[in-house]
Amino acid sequence: MQKKISDDLSTTAVHSRGREAVAPRTVPALTIVSHPQPQRIGERRLLSEMIAASGRTASLSRNAPDFARPGSVLALPLGDPFISRKPVQFEPGARGGVRVLVPEDATGVRVAGQPLVGCREFSAEELSAGVPLELAERVVLLLHHASSAPETGPGDLGMVGQGEGVRRVREDVVRVADLDVPVLIRGETGSGKELVARAIHQHSKRRNGPFISVNLGALSKELVSAELFGARKGAYTGAAGDREGFFRAAHGGTLFLDEVGEAPPEVQVALLRVLETGEVFPVGGSTPVRVDVRLLTATDANLEERIRQGHFKAPLLHRLAGFEIQVPPLRERREDIGPLFMYFARQELETTGEAQRLSSSDPRAEPWLPASLAVRLVRYAWPGNIRQLRNVARQLVIGSRGLPHLRVDARLEQELDAAAAAVPGQTVSTRAPSAPPSASSEEPESADDKAARRKPSDVGEQELLEALRASSWDLKATADRLGIPRSSVYVLIDKSSLIRTARDLSPEEISRCYQECQGDLDQMVRKLEVSKRALQRRVRELGLGAD
């Protein structure tokens, strides 16, 4: 019986882009996101371990079970005196889901700001996205999937987090670091691709050599060849002397080229030549120069689509991708949001001289990271990923300087709420869970309830495209129309072969459309068929002056 329940609470996850991979078995887990003692954020407990101890259901109270940071031997119960001794219960749900049962006189539990009364069931898909549970308005736990494998892999490699996604990245870094093959790092903007590149360099045989990081998207198209490969004196107007170039500057070490998808055609040809021959031709020179450089590249673009459009050379992609590493977006590793936020907050507090705020040992203290704010952070879609989280942490810490706990202003609160995931879970029963809920106790379902429980995997590409058009490419309105979380809309768009994102648009295409539409952003959205907010950001980045 005990083995059957543990199996019911487990699911196998397979996630790979570009190659077959079988992930370790994953099981439901609880991770601390907010606590009166901030140093405890990130501690975790697997539900399968809790069930193994009881043999029936998993129980959670102030005194049990013990939570520990992955890989640590130190474990403690939640210990908050405002949490009841009467436990909240967890039991297997349908098809790998989990039911949460709250007795009438147990600790108050809220899900996305809504009280959880009686029994609510969360699907396996909702667990994969992460379900924030707020206890007594003080402690926030994230109910999610985690690997059942013990922490026996590499160290953190400078990367914060213990989610399955970042663990896979660490394992890939260790696999390829000591090899001299080119590595292509894929991931959304702000997801930490350069951090991965630095980890590869620091654990390679070239660690004592230079690490040169170059953003190709920021280089002038007229001078990009000279910047990369060097130039001879007089090769172009203003070339008063020889230019070394980034490849020669990285000799004996590693060269990291970010936004490689933005490389002009002539630079793509030259990169292919360097990878094949190990030689560069300086601009204006006639003699090749040998270089000993390991090339790491990164992109947030769909290079395969750019190849189909004729903007990127297929042979170059094959040479760059000697090995590929996929960096997951932050919305796919929500269990890491708490530790990442605290990491950035600690950095900011050290600059303001208030780092002692994160060392509280009083379980009765008011949480420095309020539970309501922690829930907002976990539910937000984070389109800007880790870079955006770091900026939000800085804004909150500076805006709360001198206060006993973080304070969120109305504008930021509205922004976080606007892109929040849908409220997860299906109410099974509103009666006290003294006995297993029966079919006769279920409440009638409304049309909205059914829509809110729709699986994103049931949404086809054409339906998604039609919903986006009908919603004027407003992603929140699209999510509401389809009855799925907004975060799932991002995932479906990323997987779709019919839909582009604003980052897939070239600067020329945006500029041309801006002129044709006379700066009317709504008209540009209808013409280009991309998210309005994302397009507005690109327009501003290009200096086109749209409001």
Side-chain angles (χ1 to χ4, degrees), residues 313-380:
K313 298 184 180 300
L316 177 58
L317 173 58
H318 300 152
R319 292 305 301 267
L320 293 177
F323 186 79
E324 285 193 30
I325 296 179
Q326 181 72 42
V327 182
L330 188 56
R331 63 182 173 273
E332 292 181 6
R333 43 181 297 210
R334 294 182 190 270
E335 65 271 31
D336 293 333
I337 289 176
L340 278 166
F341 179 83
M342 298 306 293
Y343 174 79
F344 295 131
R346 184 175 289 105
Q347 290 181 330
E348 297 302 323
L349 286 169
E350 287 174 353
T351 65
T352 62
E354 298 178 301
Q356 73 279 1
R357 295 193 182 279
L358 301 185
S359 57
S360 171
S361 59
D362 181 7
R364 294 180 174 272
E366 193 71 20
W368 181 78
L369 172 59
S372 59
L373 175 56
V375 170
R376 284 188 169 95
L377 295 176
V378 170
R379 295 183 63 215
Y380 186 60

Side-chain angles (χ1 to χ4, degrees), residues 176 179-185 200 275 293-297 316 318-324:
V176 77
L179 306 177
D180 235 9
V181 300
V183 178
L184 175 62
I185 306 168
I200 293 173
L275 288 167
V293 172
R294 183 183 189 178
L295 187 62
L296 307 179
T297 53
L316 177 58
H318 300 152
R319 292 305 301 267
L320 293 177
F323 186 79
E324 285 193 30

Side-chain angles (χ1 to χ4, degrees), residues 449-525:
D449 290 334
K450 292 178 180 178
R453 296 199 329 274
R454 189 179 182 194
K455 295 181 179 179
S457 57
D458 294 337
V459 178
E461 286 190 78
Q462 191 60 42
E463 183 184 4
L464 174 63
L465 180 58
E466 292 172 357
L468 285 163
R469 288 170 174 166
S471 305
S472 300
W473 293 84
D474 183 296
L475 301 191
K476 186 177 187 302
T478 300
D480 293 341
R481 179 180 290 269
L482 294 172
I484 61 176
R486 178 171 177 171
S487 57
S488 297
V489 174
Y490 285 101
V491 176
L492 292 175
I493 289 175
D494 188 53
K495 292 179 178 178
S496 174
S497 60
L498 300 177
I499 302 171
R500 296 188 299 174
T501 64
R503 65 174 179 270
D504 295 326
L505 302 175
S506 68
E508 294 80 8
E509 186 176 4
I510 295 175
S511 300
R512 184 170 58 252
C513 184
Y514 182 85
Q515 298 299 328
E516 292 173 354
C517 299
Q518 298 181 342
D520 187 328
L521 197 62
D522 291 325
Q523 188 176 347
M524 291 177 68
V525 167

Side-chain angles (χ1 to χ4, degrees), residues 264-266 268-269 272 306-307 310-318:
E266 64 274 12
Q268 294 181 36
V269 173
L272 190 57
R306 293 183 69 84
I307 290 172
H311 300 318
F312 203 81
K313 298 184 180 300
L316 177 58
L317 173 58
H318 300 152

